[in-house]
Amino acid sequence: AQSVAQPEDQVNVAEGNPLTVKCTYSVSGNPYLFWYVQYPNRGLQFLLKYITGDNLVKGSYGFEAEFNKSQTSFHLKKPSALVSDSALYFCAVRDWGSGNTPLVFGKGTRLSVIA
Amino acid sequence: NAGVTQTPKFQVLKTGQSMTLQCAQDMNHEYMSWYRQDPGMGLRLIHYSVGAGITDQGEVPNGYNVSRSTTEDFPLRLLSAAPSQTSVYFCASSYRATNEKLFFGSGTQLSVL
């Protein structure tokens, strides 16, 4: 079975400060890992994904995520937060060897960037 | 390029009524899916399809039916609406089932009274 956890419901950060949104996962094999962002009254938008290779993945809007196999984590980061980054962020996982099994999403973390 | 189009955007139903949420994509995607989003619950998969004529159940399929007669369309039917089905519904698609860059519609906000 595959699962993903986002341990923080809410993250608050001051504009200009670095931000981290945490994600841990569980799969039986190797993971596909994803981050999506949801702005108010909108559908989710793809930010970035990790499949294999470099543990640091760069994505849209200046976001990046670091894959850590030993800690089974895939935390989302940005060096300098903007007020416009305020949104709901979802981590998702899928096991490589699971055929057509769909992505499993975490419960989401609400990021609030304060000016 | 319209992407994933969902209709209606808002709907209010009475308990026991039936309705169909429409989803269409114009990207020739094989994979389509329906999620519901509830506060504190994240996104939960209702049904999905890996191609025309093929559908499968997700995490919370009870009370919902789907069909996939064409590549473009993936309607979600509520057979007899219940207050527990009050939620925001999202349709999502991707090129292939194994290509998980999902494209999401803008959602349908459903209230069942």
Side-chain angles (χ1 to χ4, degrees):
Chain A
Q2 51 201 25
S3 66
V4 62
Q6 295 182 241
E8 301 157 317
D9 292 335
Q10 173 95 30
V11 170
N12 298 319
V13 64
E15 187 175 30
N17 283 3
L19 69 87
T20 299
V21 182
K22 295 179 181 177
C23 171
T24 59
Y25 67 90
S26 175
V27 295
S28 55
N30 292 314
Y32 282 134
L33 289 156
F34 299 79
W35 278 101
Y36 287 82
V37 60
Q38 184 181 30
Y39 297 103
N41 301 313
R42 303 285 295 276
L44 279 69
Q45 298 176 30
F46 170 82
L47 270 181
L48 51 81
K49 69 178 179 181
Y50 171 83
I51 296 177
T52 188
D54 194 345
N55 289 344
L56 186 64
V57 179
K58 294 189 183 298
S60 306
Y61 312 122
F63 284 93
E64 58 189 26
E66 186 169 12
F67 171 66
N68 187 318
K69 187 171 183 177
S70 63
Q71 298 186 1
T72 61
S73 67
F74 190 56
H75 301 332
L76 182 70
K77 300 181 180 183
K78 188 173 182 182
S80 179
L82 300 172
V83 172
S84 57
D85 294 329
S86 298
L88 189 56
Y89 291 82
F90 290 94
C91 183
V93 69
R94 185 175 177 275
D95 192 329
W96 272 33
S98 60
N100 287 328
T101 304
L103 276 178
V104 173
F105 283 85
K107 294 189 186 323
T109 298
R110 188 165 300 281
L111 173 67
S112 180
V113 182
I114 304 160
Chain B
N1 191 344
V4 179
T5 302
Q6 286 184 240
T7 56
K9 292 191 183 299
F10 302 94
Q11 183 71 50
V12 178
L13 294 177
K14 294 180 180 178
T15 297
Q17 286 184 317
S18 63
M19 80 158 294
T20 299
L21 307 185
Q22 302 291 345
C23 176
Q25 53 87 11
D26 61 359
M27 298 173 282
N28 199 30
H29 284 174
E30 290 183 354
Y31 179 83
M32 297 186 75
S33 54
W34 277 101
Y35 291 87
R36 59 177 290 173
Q37 183 178 22
D38 302 290
M41 303 293 289
L43 286 171
R44 292 183 292 169
L45 182 65
I46 305 171
H47 286 285
Y48 65 100
S49 168
V50 300
I54 306 169
T55 63
D56 208 342
Q57 295 182 350
E59 181 185 356
V60 288
N62 292 342
Y64 307 95
N65 274 359
V66 292
S67 59
R68 185 93 180 271
S69 56
T70 67
T71 299
E72 294 78 19
D73 299 299
F74 191 46
L76 178 72
R77 297 182 186 85
L78 281 70
L79 307 174
S80 177
S84 61
Q85 293 178 306
T86 294
S87 186
V88 181
Y89 292 84
F90 289 100
C91 179
S93 72
S94 65
Y95 182 58
R96 292 216 174 107
T98 54
N99 179 347
E100 281 89 357
K101 181 180 177 180
L102 288 169
F103 292 79
F104 283 80
S106 57
T108 296
Q109 190 168 327
L110 176 67
S111 294
V112 183
L113 305 177

